[in-house]
Amino acid sequence: MGRTLAEKVWDDHVVRRAEGEPDLLYIDLHLLHEVTSPQAFDGLRKSGRRVRRTDLTLATEDHNTPTLDIDKPIADPVSRTQLETLRKNCGEFGVRLHPLGDTEQGVVHVVGPQLGLTQPGTTVVCGDSHTSTHGAFGALAFGIGTSQVEHVLATQTLPMAPFRTMAVTVNGELPEGVTAKDLILAIIARIGTGGGQGYVIEYRGEAIEKLSMEARMTICNMSIEAGARAGMIAPDETTFAYLQGRDHAPEGAEWDAAVAYWRTLRTEEDAVFDHEVVIEAAELAPFVTWGTNPGQGAPLSASVPDPGSFADPGDRVAAEKALEYMGLVPGQRLREIAVDTVFVGSCTNGRIEDLRSAAEVLRGRRIADGVRMLVVPGSVRVALQAVDEGLDRVFAEAGAEWRHAGCSMCLGMNPDQLSPGERCASTSNRNFEGRQGKGGRTHLVSPQVAAATALTGHLASPADLADVPTPAEV
Amino acid sequence: MEAFTTHTGRAVPLRRSNVDTDQIIPAHWLKKVTRDGFEDGLFESWRRDPEFVLNQEAHRGGTVLVAGPDFGTGSSREHAVWALQNYGFKAVISPRFADIFRGNSLKNGLLTVVLPAATVEALWELVEREPDSEVTVDLVARRVTAPGIEADFDLDENARWRLLEGLDDISLTLREEAAIADFESRRPVYKPRTQAV
Ligand code: SF4
């Protein structure tokens, strides 16, 4: 029987296999950030251990970094201590770090791919659940806990029990105006936030093959929101073209050898997945969430559902609670939900294509009165590219705030937070209660929907903008 | 991780059941960036009561905690184990432990001993009456002894072996050094590197 992509990558990293024991897997790339690494370094220090492979380890600062006044000392003592601790640890153990102010600084899952470090057929781990992002390259990438971070630092391996495999096949072509974000939100709504539990999901099919690398990252990023350990997409010409010439991509004969290997990383015809889901792309539309978990979503053209309409009693109670927290009533049209804030950014939608598509919608227009819009690039490189293309001016002229790179309002560990009751259309990945600030209400959306929402003041897609005049027409 | 063979020390009687990890170490302590320094957070809210057992002169310096059933329930925070160890505890005795807490304890070298409720009661009475009594937890013989008390306990062979040898997960993996080095020698040269070394 043939093997799936995930099984091939797994098998190629087994250091040791013994009956009745987990496999010992080799880790090709270990990414670190300030929040989940301090106790791991502390553990190393206590037991007198070193970092086994500093050349396979990279750290960035992202969760706590401010997006304004980055040259001033950080006000919050907890954030400051976490950053200072990371700097001290990386210095002491010889780990390469991109701190605040560095041109390679940014959200860890944006930085790895843009440096060309995330490559097909590698194993990538990080003390962060959205490590699944890197699976877009055909890497086996998953989040780990602090004890495991220490384990990888010390041994460059992890004892792991095998995952199960799931295929999500997306047939056909995405309709005009439907993005990767809409697709993954629709997939999560379909299989549920626990639907991927214990699985590595491989996304495949015509619609997936047509996606850019950045769109593929958006899809894999949110695999964890379906409960999956990882998401993967088989590498192809799009992948190779994205990688070629990047800082850490192989060159010359090594490039050729790498590509030859990468081409073998496809699920074989006769491989069997433990579970399969099929989606017809033509049936999809812009998708937004109305609730407090990423599975509680619906097409933008729909209305807030009646909790009574859910067959499962657990879903019904969850919907009731969500509507109460979100301050919504059943039957309310999603397009009529007014927002206070719009956030464009995060490791889900903070890359250059995301900024371009938001800017395209905003160009020559002004955001609605009373709406605040934050645009936070996923990394400094993304920011520099955007400035190069003049996107920062498009945002500023539309009335949006152009900020410094980081996680920012995705989780509100820095000062970018929602106030209680404030409602936000956000391109990030989690709409949990209080995620973006205590009492804050989050609707997950694509960058296009975020921009159209900022212009109209209520949830909207670019197709709704025909009646919003551009300055030339006023 | 330090090996655990046998330990003798004074016991602290904690006459409470269902001690959850939030009581052991409150959430606001989780912002710390080290594994040290959690001793002041251990049972923080209970310690505000001057009568609380850890505040009693007679029990100062105890190293074996004797608690009621269902010790360590609630959140999975490993900090609960660190707090007990930072304070100086080497072993915890209880009629029943929460699974995750027990797993975390063994990973960190804190011995959790399950004894019948009647034996726990006998230990409480003994150390309340004579706080200076010495209690020995012998992992080799799998036996707890104290004046007038002798009780055997169970522990699965793998966990016992790891504690006796002082082997945490990392030490165990490091025993595979040859296999890891061999794997590394076969890694293709095109695999990415973050820096030259
Ligand atoms: S952007 Fe958000 S989801 Fe991504 S790493 Fe930062 S906090 Fe986590």
Side-chain angles (χ1 to χ4, degrees):
Chain A
M1 194 174 73
R3 292 177 303 162
T4 63
L5 163 63
E7 288 160 346
K8 286 183 179 179
V9 179
W10 181 285
D11 288 348
D12 284 349
H13 290 83
V14 175
V15 170
R16 177 178 173 276
R17 180 170 279 169
E19 183 67 30
E21 286 179 42
D23 283 351
L24 189 62
L25 275 199
Y26 198 79
I27 303 303
D28 288 315
L29 179 63
H30 187 191
L31 301 168
L32 300 168
H33 63 80
E34 73 273 19
V35 181
T36 51
S37 63
Q39 274 95 3
F41 280 112
D42 212 35
L44 289 187
R45 216 171 349 249
K46 276 202 160 158
S47 32
R49 291 178 178 133
R50 63 191 177 92
V51 174
R52 182 181 179 91
R53 293 295 299 263
T54 50
D55 61 332
L56 305 182
T57 312
L58 180 77
T60 72
E61 299 178 352
D62 53 10
H63 284 66
N64 285 275
T65 52
T67 57
L68 285 174
D69 300 330
I70 65 158
D71 45 343
K72 305 218 177 88
I74 294 166
D76 175 25
V78 175
S79 294
R80 197 171 57 227
T81 306
Q82 288 199 334
L83 293 172
E84 282 167 359
T85 306
L86 182 68
R87 290 172 197 179
K88 188 174 73 79
N89 285 331
C90 287
E92 181 180 335
F93 287 91
V95 171
R96 169 176 163 194
L97 166 70
H98 294 298
L100 188 61
D102 187 280
T103 34
E104 298 299 347
Q105 180 257 337
V107 181
V108 67
H109 312 306
V110 177
V111 170
Q114 80 188 4
L115 282 170
L117 283 167
T118 304
Q119 294 178 12
T122 55
T123 45
V124 182
V125 298
C126 175
D128 190 286
S129 54
H130 291 99
T131 308
S132 58
T133 312
H134 307 264
F137 291 79
L140 182 61
F142 48 90
I144 55 177
T146 296
S147 299
Q148 291 172 303
V149 170
E150 182 181 342
H151 196 112
V152 177
L153 286 172
T155 69
Q156 204 58 36
T157 63
L158 265 186
M160 298 283 301
F163 305 132
R164 287 178 296 165
T165 57
M166 182 191 297
V168 171
T169 306
V170 188
N171 290 324
E173 261 184 77
L174 289 177
E176 175 81 25
V178 178
T179 68
K181 183 63 162 286
D182 303 310
L183 171 56
I184 188 63
L185 285 173
I187 291 172
I188 298 165
R190 163 93 166 265
I191 69 176
T193 51
Q197 208 116 56
Y199 289 104
V200 172
I201 299 178
E202 181 181 336
Y203 302 94
R204 55 216 305 256
E206 194 190 340
I208 300 292
E209 287 160 22
K210 289 222 165 99
L211 294 176
S212 68
M213 283 319 293
E214 306 216 335
R216 293 179 191 185
M217 284 189 253
T218 302
I219 304 267
C220 288
N221 172 276
M222 290 192 72
S223 303
I224 187 77
E225 259 57 68
R229 279 309 304 267
M232 294 178 94
I233 293 173
D236 58 12
E237 298 306 322
T238 306
T239 320
F240 310 152
Y242 177 96
L243 277 167
Q244 195 157 28
R246 291 195 180 258
D247 285 11
H248 292 269
E251 290 170 28
E254 284 183 15
W255 170 263
D256 297 339
V259 173
Y261 169 60
W262 297 346
R263 286 192 199 283
T264 68
L265 299 172
R266 308 204 73 93
T267 293
E268 283 156 35
E269 287 288 330
D270 57 342
V272 179
F273 288 94
D274 296 311
H275 189 64
E276 291 203 54
V277 173
V278 179
I279 307 253
E280 298 303 329
E283 292 166 10
L284 297 172
F287 215 85
V288 301
T289 61
W290 48 264
T292 51
N293 75 53
Q296 292 175 323
L300 180 60
S301 55
S303 301
V304 174
D306 179 353
S309 68
F310 291 95
D312 180 89
D315 290 346
R316 201 176 310 145
V317 174
E320 275 166 14
K321 283 207 172 124
L323 293 191
E324 192 186 322
Y325 181 84
M326 293 295 289
L328 298 172
V329 291
Q332 199 173 349
R333 295 183 41 97
L334 294 173
R335 274 205 169 86
E336 282 161 16
I337 296 173
V339 306
D340 309 293
T341 294
V342 172
F343 172 68
V344 173
S346 86
C347 58
T348 312
N349 282 126
R351 285 170 290 266
I352 190 69
E353 279 181 14
D354 302 311
L355 301 193
R356 278 186 199 134
S357 62
E360 226 27 73
V361 178
L362 294 178
R363 196 180 292 278
R365 294 183 164 114
R366 289 284 300 178
I367 63 175
D369 286 344
V371 172
R372 100 172 140 144
M373 180 176 189
L374 253 63
V375 183
V376 183
S379 71
V380 175
R381 273 211 203 183
V382 169
L384 292 173
Q385 174 77 27
V387 168
D388 218 41
E389 298 178 16
L391 304 183
D392 59 325
R393 285 207 316 280
V394 176
F395 291 123
E397 282 163 18
E401 296 176 44
W402 172 248
R403 296 291 190 91
H404 188 80
C407 293
S408 177
M409 201 182 264
C410 176
L411 89 166
M413 249 181 126
N414 76 351
D416 307 337
Q417 295 178 9
L418 297 180
S419 338
E422 204 179 337
R423 190 181 297 282
C424 178
S426 176
T427 67
S428 56
N429 45 46
R430 285 185 174 155
N431 51 346
F432 299 158
E433 289 186 16
R435 167 82 173 178
Q436 296 190 289
K438 205 163 186 246
R441 295 160 168 168
T442 303
H443 296 272
L444 300 178
V445 300
S446 72
Q448 283 92 325
V449 168
T453 299
L455 292 172
T456 60
H458 53 80
L459 293 179
S461 76
D464 302 325
L465 291 176
D467 48 343
V468 177
T470 60
E473 293 164 321
V474 176
Chain B
M1 179 169 120
E2 250 176 81
F4 192 113
T5 47
T6 180
H7 172 78
T8 301
R10 284 182 297 118
V12 175
L14 182 65
R15 280 192 181 263
R16 295 189 192 238
S17 58
N18 263 300
V19 176
D20 64 63
T21 52
D22 237 288
Q23 297 301 336
I24 300 174
I25 186 83
H28 70 94
W29 282 85
L30 309 193
K31 292 179 188 164
K32 277 177 65 67
V33 294
T34 58
R35 280 182 200 219
D36 299 323
F38 288 97
E39 57 276 15
D40 291 338
L42 181 68
F43 302 125
E44 189 177 50
S45 62
W46 295 342
R47 274 160 83 182
R48 292 198 194 105
D49 170 8
E51 295 301 304
F52 181 60
V53 66
L54 288 191
N55 293 330
Q56 295 173 20
E57 198 49 47
H59 297 296
R60 193 139 295 176
T63 51
V64 178
L65 186 65
V66 186
D70 294 315
F71 188 87
T73 54
S75 133
S76 65
R77 59 190 71 160
E78 216 164 311
H79 307 67
V81 175
W82 302 338
L84 287 160
Q85 289 182 313
N86 291 167
Y87 189 85
F89 287 111
K90 303 286 183 207
V92 184
I93 297 174
S94 160
R96 196 165 51 229
F97 290 94
D99 278 346
I100 300 182
F101 175 83
R102 191 149 205 239
N104 287 341
S105 300
L106 298 174
K107 238 190 219 168
N108 284 276
L110 177 72
L111 179 60
T112 48
V113 177
V114 179
L115 289 180
T119 314
V120 166
E121 182 62 44
L123 281 166
W124 280 340
E125 282 170 14
L126 169 73
V127 294
E128 279 164 0
R129 200 173 55 238
E130 298 162 34
D132 286 333
S133 322
E134 301 229 297
V135 176
T136 296
V137 182
D138 183 345
L139 182 58
V140 184
R142 277 189 276 219
R143 183 172 303 139
V144 172
T145 48
I149 297 171
E150 200 174 295
D152 291 338
F153 64 88
D154 266 344
L155 187 67
D156 82 78
E157 208 28 65
N158 187 272
R160 176 168 171 265
W161 168 71
R162 288 169 55 163
L163 282 165
L164 287 173
E165 300 278 321
L167 293 171
D168 52 286
D169 281 351
I170 297 179
S171 314
L172 279 177
T173 298
L174 288 174
R175 292 189 161 189
E176 306 298 334
E177 168 60 32
I180 298 172
D182 176 58
F183 184 92
E184 285 177 329
S185 71
R186 289 182 283 114
R187 282 180 85 232
V189 286
Y190 54 73
K191 290 272 185 175
R193 287 173 172 235
T194 59
Q195 58 176 321
V197 283

